[in-house]
Amino acid sequence: MTSHDVVARLRRILHTTKIGHSGTLDPNATGVLLVLIGKACKALPFLEDTDKEYIATLQLGIQTISDDIWMEPLKKAPIQPITDFQSVLNSFRGVQKQVPPMISSVRVNGRKLYEYAREGIAVTRPEREVTIYDIEALDSQKLQFRVSCSSGTYVRSLCHDIAQKTGNLGCMSSLVRTKVGRFSLDECVTLQDVQEGRFQLHTLQEVLSHYEPVEYERPADIYNGKKITLRCEADDVAITHNGNIVAIYQREDAAVFRCVRGLW
């Protein structure tokens, strides 16, 4: 099931067309998918850079075009044992340069990489900067690890790079997304739960908790998209009225802020 399939099912269950999600999850992966309903879809652009956490397993000895085990191997090689898995993982902490997999939605010259792959066209993949905040070995025998990373990080590429650093071929053999922003796996519900009414909608305040809230007493200014004057530290803020988020504003100059998007 793809992330798009999940959204399609939810549209039928909830009888609404206004549904979106904050970040695609690979079809063979499981875990947290943050879904927005109704007017909350307006907040999607402000969740694209939300940090993620995963539990993944590395498979040594094979290389695939997708950097996971669900495609035919391109190469196979004898496995070089990894004696200290945690030390290898530690070397990936911090800002890293990463090349996305060929089977991905990253665009090159206006086309997605997987479109080139389907046609057998070789293309130079753009190196991207990602951040690994934390990475921990969970099972050194099975090569299972937990990673906390910036949005846009491909754990499949990370598995490829870890294997390469140890003199191996390698790819990802399992993936569970355990956290998206402040929402973790233990807070999730299944599609069956939603079907049977066992779910709770969260507020925009919870979803956009990474923005500094600023209460504003003249809502008409916000609804008309006017520039406003604020005294605050952050350059991007969530404007609230009576405790409810009504818009995202961005610093334009000194204390002057402009409307990025209304959320009412």
Side-chain angles (χ1 to χ4, degrees):
M1 177 178 283
T2 66
S3 301
H4 183 269
D5 292 334
V6 172
V7 168
R9 287 277 299 276
L10 287 172
R11 285 193 179 114
R12 293 195 293 272
I13 293 170
L14 299 174
H15 306 292
T16 181
T17 57
K18 292 184 178 180
I19 299 182
H21 63 80
S22 69
T24 301
L25 194 59
D26 290 341
N28 290 296
T30 61
V32 182
L33 184 69
L34 184 59
V35 178
L36 293 98
I37 314 293
K39 69 177 183 180
C41 290
K42 293 180 179 181
L44 275 172
F46 311 106
L47 297 170
E48 292 174 348
D49 60 351
T50 306
D51 296 334
K52 313 288 198 306
E53 182 184 270
Y54 300 89
I55 292 176
T57 307
L58 168 63
Q59 172 70 54
L60 297 180
I62 62 173
Q63 179 181 324
T64 68
I65 192 171
S66 58
D67 288 331
D68 62 35
I69 62 167
W70 296 291
M71 295 198 76
E72 290 297 315
L74 297 175
K75 296 179 184 177
K76 293 186 177 182
I79 295 174
Q80 306 299 318
I82 300 175
T83 56
D84 190 342
F85 190 39
Q86 184 62 62
S87 292
V88 176
L89 296 179
N90 288 341
S91 68
F92 286 88
R93 292 177 187 269
V95 178
Q96 304 286 326
K97 296 290 186 180
Q98 187 180 80
V99 177
M102 272 302 297
I103 305 299
S104 67
S105 57
V106 173
R107 291 183 180 272
V108 174
N109 298 325
R111 299 185 66 194
K112 295 177 180 179
L113 284 174
Y114 69 75
E115 294 174 335
Y116 290 107
R118 285 174 181 170
E119 297 174 18
I121 299 174
V123 63
T124 301
R125 288 172 282 169
E127 197 175 55
R128 309 194 312 169
E129 196 172 89
V130 300
T131 303
I132 306 299
Y133 302 114
D134 191 25
I135 189 164
E136 174 191 12
L138 300 179
D139 189 324
S140 295
Q141 296 300 314
K142 295 181 180 179
L143 300 182
Q144 185 184 67
F145 62 95
R146 179 187 61 82
V147 58
S148 176
C149 53
S150 61
S151 181
T153 302
Y154 279 94
V155 181
R156 289 181 282 144
S157 294
L158 180 60
C159 286
H160 171 277
D161 294 344
I162 292 169
Q164 188 176 58
K165 191 153 196 172
T166 62
N168 283 288
L169 298 180
C171 63
M172 186 183 75
S173 61
S174 71
L175 184 68
V176 180
R177 187 156 66 192
T178 51
K179 189 176 288 187
V180 175
R182 63 162 294 276
F183 296 101
S184 58
L185 192 58
D186 59 7
E187 298 176 82
C188 290
V189 295
T190 64
L191 283 171
Q192 185 174 347
D193 288 331
V194 179
Q195 178 80 61
E196 296 173 0
R198 298 192 304 270
F199 69 95
Q200 175 186 349
L201 292 178
H202 296 272
T203 65
L204 278 179
Q205 286 89 323
E206 292 176 272
V207 177
L208 297 174
S209 60
H210 53 298
Y211 282 86
E212 179 182 329
V214 177
E215 182 74 8
Y216 194 76
E217 298 301 326
R218 297 191 301 276
D221 292 348
I222 307 302
Y223 296 142
N224 290 320
K226 290 184 177 181
K227 294 180 182 180
I228 60 176
T229 300
L230 299 175
R231 303 294 178 187
C232 60
E233 294 281 334
D235 292 328
D236 298 278
V237 297
I239 301 297
T240 64
H241 180 65
N242 293 333
N244 297 314
I245 294 180
V246 292
I248 299 294
Y249 266 65
Q250 186 176 72
R251 190 186 305 275
E252 184 175 87
D253 181 45
V256 177
F257 284 71
R258 66 176 181 85
C259 183
V260 177
R261 183 156 197 183
L263 300 176
W264 57 87

